Structures are given as C-alpha cells and as structure tokens.
Amino acid sequence: MAIYYSSTRNADIKVSASQAILKGLADDGGLFVPSEIPALDVDVKELASMSYQEVAYEVLKLFLTDYTEEELKQCINHAYDSKFDTEEIAPLVQADGAYYLELFHGATIAFKDMALSILPHLLTTAAKKNNVTNEIVILTATSGDTGKAALAGFADVEGTRIVVFYPKNGVSPIQEKQMVTQKGANTCVVGIKGNFDQAQTGVKQMFNDTAFAKLMNDNGFQFSSANSINIGRLVPQIAYYVYAYAKLLDNDQISAGEQINVVVPTGNFGNILAAYYAKNMGIPIDKLICASNENKVLYDFFATGTYDKNREFVLTSSPSMDILISSNLERLIYHITGNDAKKNAELMNELNTTGVYKITPDMKEKLADFVGGYSSEADTADTIKNLYEKTGYIIDTHTAVASGVYRSYVKQSDDTKKTVIASTASPYKFTRSVMNAIDKKYDAMGDFELVDELCKLGNVEIPQAIEDIRSAKILHDRVCEVNEMPQAVKDFLGLK
C-alpha cells in the first residue's frame, strides 16, 4: 500500500516519500508526516534472527513506498557497512539493570550516523527518481552531532553541497574540531554568534524565503535538509528500536509480546518520535520516557500540556540537548490533534508569535504513553560516576541524562519492565565532562590527554573519529552574526 506524505500545516499538500526527502521541509513551513503509520508485516520472532540491515529494510519498505526493493537495499547496504566499528551496527549492552542501545558506532561516534549514513543515498536516489537536475544544497543547523554526521555523509557526494551552521560557543571542543576539520570541496561550516535555536530558526527562514529559492533555482541549486525535520532522517531511526526489541527477544531477555520501556535523551524530539512510530507499528513498547537536561521545556510540556519556550537558555554538559524549540514535537502534536493540520498550524503560529501554546485536555490524554523527566547537571555527573564505579561502564553526558531520569522514574513508579536506554554518543565526544564527573583531578589535562586517560579507564579502544582529528588542520574558520547566515550561504555558492 502506497504511503504519501502531507504537511503538518496543510492537509492539501501531498507528496511521495522521495519528494518529501528531497524537499526536507514543506513549502508552508510544516513537516512532512506519513498518511498513516504502517503496521509491521513481519512477526517479531522472524525479526529476531535478522541482521540490522535486514530489519532496516523491513521498516523502510513500509514507509518509503515509491522506492524499489533494489533501491532500498542498495541504500541500506551502502550505509551500514564497514563505516561502523561493530558488526551489529547498534549493539545492546546490559549494565546495572538496563539495556544501553549503543547508537554511536558509526563514523562520527554519535547516533546521528544511524540516519545520516543512509540519507545521502536516499536523497541522491530520490533526485534521480524525480529527474532533478539542480545541485542539491543541504542546509542544516546543528547542536553538535548532526553537523559532523551530515558533513561526513555528504562530503564529496556528486550533485550535492552542504552548509552547516553551529553555535560557536555551544558545542564541545571535540564536536567543534570534528566539524571545522571536515574535508570535501562541497562542504562549508560556519559558526554563529548565537545558540542552536537561533541557528535552526535562521535555516528555516532560508527554506521559506521564496526570493532566495528563485535565486537558487536560477543558478542551478535547490535546498534540502539533513536535520531531523527531514523524514529521510526520521524513518531510518525507527529501525533501531525495532532491532533492539528483536535482539532482546533473540537473546532470551524477553518473551514475544512482552512490553518494554524506552528512555531517550531528548532535544529536538526526533529520536523519541522514532520510538513512538515503532510502538505504533506494533513493537510492544509501553512507556516512552522523554529525558531532558536543564533546558527542560519538554519535561514541563508533558507535565502541564503547555509548551513555553520563553525561558533562559542554559548551556549544559549535554549540548546536543540544549534546545528550547523541539522541531519534531510538531509531528506528535499533529498526530494528537487527530491529524488536524489546521489546528496544528494554529498552535505553531502561537509558538511563533508568543513563544507559547497549550494543548487541549483531549490531546493531553493521547500523551499517556509519554513520561517526562529531567536531570540536573549535578545529577548527570553523579550518574556517570556511579555507573562507572558500580560496573566499569562509561557513558557520555547525554546518555547519563537518560540513565538518571530512568533511575528516578523507577523509584517513583515501581515500574520494573525491561528498559532500553538510547545511548546517543560515545563518551569520547565529551571527554572533559565525562572524566570530570568521574574525578575532578582530570580537569587539569588537555583534551587529547583526556582521550588517552579515558581509554585506560574504560578499557575501550579510541575511535578512529577521534584519532583522525588529533592533528587535523582547521579548514573552516568563518564565524558570523545570525542575520548574516544567508550571506554566508550565498558566498559559498558564489551567488550575487
């Protein structure tokens, strides 16, 4: 059955999967959502014996229905290959009573690799399918990890260019060095004097600028997105929750049909939304536990039904979650309105004009499967230290937010279901914060001394992604004001 995609703000906009992936964002500023969430057509017992690549195909074929079997399998096999340092692609590690789904074994050691390894292949295939002759310009904002993963995925991919904006003082030193040393003649990285929300808003404004679109088209270019607003990012993320359940079954940790809980450290809401889609496809997930850091706009939303971004923006040790405008939440809001694009558009307009919207009691009832929690900076550091001292397992700051929220949830609820925690980044990406949490004495060390010390402490091999940047040259050093973002793009593309 064919699935089409419509805008969260206008039900009359309907496109195929490949067209939605190409566009990234709908012309009215809405996000593309599937006409329905399809049910898995393979029994979980069958999935249990499948490889990651095979599970991914079973998920993607149901959502990306205008791609052929050959096209999808080719995209999948090019994405999930030796770039990943484990054969399982997304291994499950049991530690202190929970199962950590390690999503950081790709080229840039963060969960964004899981989708951004395949997006370039889905996008270039979509361009051919739709007879696109323009060069595709990937325009994206990053809070730290999306940028490098997108750059790595699209570097030197024929027919594409990529521009990444990041908050100059809002990412970790390792994250920044990963981006500014990126090779590839088609890559551009720009720091902005602002935060992630401002970078993301600037990117959205360029997408919605019709004069800019005409200038681009006249010069043989068109925009697309690698942010999680692109449905080509979201759909591949569903696969790893399906895979996690299948592996628990395969390893006799659960019985078929047994419910599990899922905890996701959440900023832009795409990763937990993928778990929600997996649940709605038929995976027996009970609670979707949304873990926030001190930028707890989502925690407050799930508690009160009011989304309010009018608050202080806090820079934390988990910078990929330092977000006050969670773009993918719009897709969930659309679903709980009963797929009412008009109602959703009204709420998003309120957010845009006042910074606040409130959902109805009926809508809030449909969020019963979600639980919000948050972890303070002190709690996050304690979680890293305690887990290491108890088990020897070292997690990064984002995973620690989720782990801390999980512990609090169990204490408050007595819910002891088997639980999968999305482990979204390698501790090597946030060495200073991680090592300081374990012992303050490490703060005197340099960034790469800390890398070597972490290797000794955790007995985990240093990822190639870290070795690659030890002595890499800075190739991107542009920094601009927020209002200069369009000019930075024009300069890179040679547009007047």
Side-chain angles (χ1 to χ4, degrees), residues 344-480:
N344 178 71
E346 287 169 7
L347 292 170
M348 294 308 118
N349 186 54
E350 283 178 41
L351 180 66
N352 194 39
T353 53
T354 69
V356 182
Y357 64 80
K358 185 170 181 64
I359 61 173
T360 66
D362 283 351
M363 290 166 69
K364 194 166 188 301
E365 275 180 29
K366 293 176 185 172
L367 297 176
D369 294 340
F370 284 89
V371 176
Y374 79 95
S375 177
S376 70
E377 284 289 271
D379 290 343
T380 300
D382 286 346
T383 297
I384 293 170
K385 182 182 177 71
N386 294 340
L387 187 64
Y388 169 68
E389 289 178 347
K390 200 170 182 181
T391 67
Y393 187 55
I394 300 177
I395 55 176
D396 92 293
T397 46
H398 302 74
T399 308
V401 168
S403 184
V405 166
Y406 166 64
R407 302 289 160 208
S408 298
Y409 169 74
V410 172
K411 276 183 196 166
Q412 290 162 10
S413 67
D414 289 327
D415 182 352
T416 56
K417 289 185 193 71
K418 303 276 172 56
T419 297
V420 169
I421 295 174
S423 185
T424 54
S426 165
Y428 282 102
K429 263 202 147 155
F430 305 94
T431 46
R432 187 163 302 280
S433 296
V434 168
M435 297 298 279
N436 276 351
I438 292 170
D439 194 322
K440 295 289 184 198
K441 71 180 183 184
Y442 292 115
D443 200 34
M445 291 186 176
D447 288 326
F448 286 98
E449 285 179 283
L450 287 170
V451 164
D452 295 329
E453 200 63 27
L454 175 57
C455 177
K456 288 182 211 164
L457 209 61
N459 198 25
V460 177
E461 195 176 338
I462 298 170
Q464 192 59 44
I466 297 296
E467 294 292 6
D468 287 346
I469 61 170
R470 272 188 196 264
S471 56
K473 281 173 59 179
I474 304 296
L475 300 175
H476 307 271
D477 59 4
R478 182 164 182 168
V479 178
C480 73

Side-chain angles (χ1 to χ4, degrees), residues 83-86 89-91 102-110 113-114:
K83 290 191 290 295
F84 287 80
D85 62 20
T86 58
I89 307 298
E102 293 188 343
L103 300 171
F104 53 77
H105 288 278
T108 74
I109 57 176
D113 289 323
M114 300 299 294

Side-chain angles (χ1 to χ4, degrees), residues 22-65:
L22 266 176
K23 288 183 73 64
L25 196 66
D27 291 337
D28 60 358
L31 278 60
F32 287 113
V33 279
S35 49
E36 62 182 275
I37 300 173
L40 278 165
D41 58 4
V42 179
D43 190 273
V44 287
K45 289 179 183 173
E46 265 188 80
L47 292 168
S49 62
M50 291 183 184
S51 68
Y52 189 86
Q53 292 85 343
E54 289 167 332
V55 171
Y57 174 71
E58 294 302 329
V59 173
L60 267 61
K61 74 175 187 186
L62 299 174
F63 282 94
L64 309 182
T65 53

Side-chain angles (χ1 to χ4, degrees), residues 310-357:
N310 299 322
R311 61 184 69 204
E312 183 190 357
F313 184 94
V314 185
L315 289 173
T316 73
S317 61
S318 46
S320 297
M321 299 161 65
D322 290 347
I323 294 171
L324 296 181
I325 305 172
S326 299
S327 289
N328 271 288
L329 184 64
E330 179 171 347
R331 286 187 166 111
L332 180 64
I333 298 300
Y334 170 82
H335 290 308
I336 64 172
T337 62
N339 297 354
D340 184 339
K342 189 179 175 196
K343 173 65 176 170
N344 178 71
E346 287 169 7
L347 292 170
M348 294 308 118
N349 186 54
E350 283 178 41
L351 180 66
N352 194 39
T353 53
T354 69
V356 182
Y357 64 80

